[in-house]
Amino acid sequence: MSPEDRREAIAEAVLPLLAEHGVAVTTSQIAEAAGIAEGTVFRVFKDKQELLGYCVQAALRVEPLLEKLQEIPRTSDLRALLKAVADTLSGHFRRTGALLHALASSGWRPERPSPGEEQEWHRKRLDQTRRITESVAEILSAEADRLRVPPKTVAGMFLGLVFTDEMGRRAFGETAPASTDELIDVFLHGVLAR
């Protein structure tokens, strides 16, 4: 197994532990979850901080999310399409949010990037958002004739709504996001009584 494949395998095994234990996860737990000897962890990562940073980067990758979005069956039922998209996005945001919350709550802070690295990080986040938006727009494109605005505009609005509902409510002390059906109903019909 190549060093990069080994890093990926360790990160994949460790992500659920990090969401549960934060930085309190032990190297023996890491090794057991990855099915390797404890010393192997530090032959692949220089220290625990590097391992945590790598795991966060792995969790933030959008490729697995894009693959799941592409698996959504295309249908002429706009509500069903939006529900499948919302469930897929919510699952991704929930997993990522749980990981970041567990790490931050347990005292982990990422290494401070240089200004150039920080600009690159923001560029990557914008590119990932663009790719997700384009994927959702492609899913909705079959219903373009029923939409008042282009599918890409709908996709951006819907992505923002799902993200805000999933992540924003926790920030304001609410424990549960709206149900997917409520979210879609408000998205399609607004907040005014009919």
Side-chain angles (χ1 to χ4, degrees):
M1 185 179 281
S2 74
E4 191 55 35
D5 288 342
R6 172 81 63 192
R7 290 165 73 90
E8 285 293 318
I10 292 171
E12 187 175 320
V14 172
L15 282 169
L17 287 175
L18 292 178
E20 183 179 345
H21 302 288
V23 295
V25 67
T26 66
T27 53
S28 63
Q29 288 173 312
I30 291 168
E32 184 179 335
I36 57 175
E38 214 170 320
T40 304
V41 174
F42 297 109
R43 282 195 289 279
V44 178
F45 297 98
K46 70 179 179 185
D47 56 26
K48 193 172 175 181
Q49 179 74 9
E50 183 183 42
L51 168 64
L52 295 175
Y54 189 88
C55 287
V56 168
Q57 291 305 314
L60 293 175
R61 286 188 199 124
V62 297
E63 287 74 19
L65 171 62
L66 295 174
E67 287 173 14
K68 286 181 181 171
L69 287 169
Q70 288 308 307
E71 292 170 4
I72 292 173
R74 302 315 192 254
T75 173
S76 60
D77 182 346
L78 183 58
R79 183 175 284 275
L81 282 175
L82 290 172
K83 181 168 177 28
V85 168
D87 289 344
T88 303
L89 293 172
S90 292
H92 174 76
F93 295 147
R94 200 172 297 125
R95 283 187 300 278
T96 304
L99 172 68
L100 296 176
H101 177 73
L103 288 173
S105 296
S106 62
W108 179 75
R109 300 292 177 265
E111 291 180 11
R112 194 85 185 130
S114 70
E117 290 171 329
E118 193 166 351
Q119 285 180 332
E120 178 62 13
W121 186 88
H122 286 294
R123 189 197 63 72
K124 281 183 181 177
R125 295 285 84 72
L126 288 172
D127 182 60
Q128 288 181 332
T129 302
R130 178 193 56 75
R131 291 172 65 198
I132 296 168
T133 304
E134 288 174 354
S135 182
V136 173
E138 187 273 323
I139 293 167
L140 300 176
S141 64
E143 295 296 302
D145 59 328
R146 295 178 60 202
L147 302 173
R148 290 177 33 202
V149 293
K152 190 168 182 179
T153 303
V154 175
M157 291 175 174
F158 194 65
L159 178 63
L161 182 63
V162 173
F163 179 81
T164 303
D165 189 62
E166 191 62 48
M167 306 304 266
R169 284 174 171 253
R170 272 191 213 107
F172 294 108
E174 293 186 40
T175 55
S179 75
T180 305
D181 288 331
E182 290 173 317
L183 191 86
I184 292 168
D185 192 57
V186 167
F187 185 73
L188 291 175
H189 305 293
V191 296
L192 296 177
R194 290 183 201 147

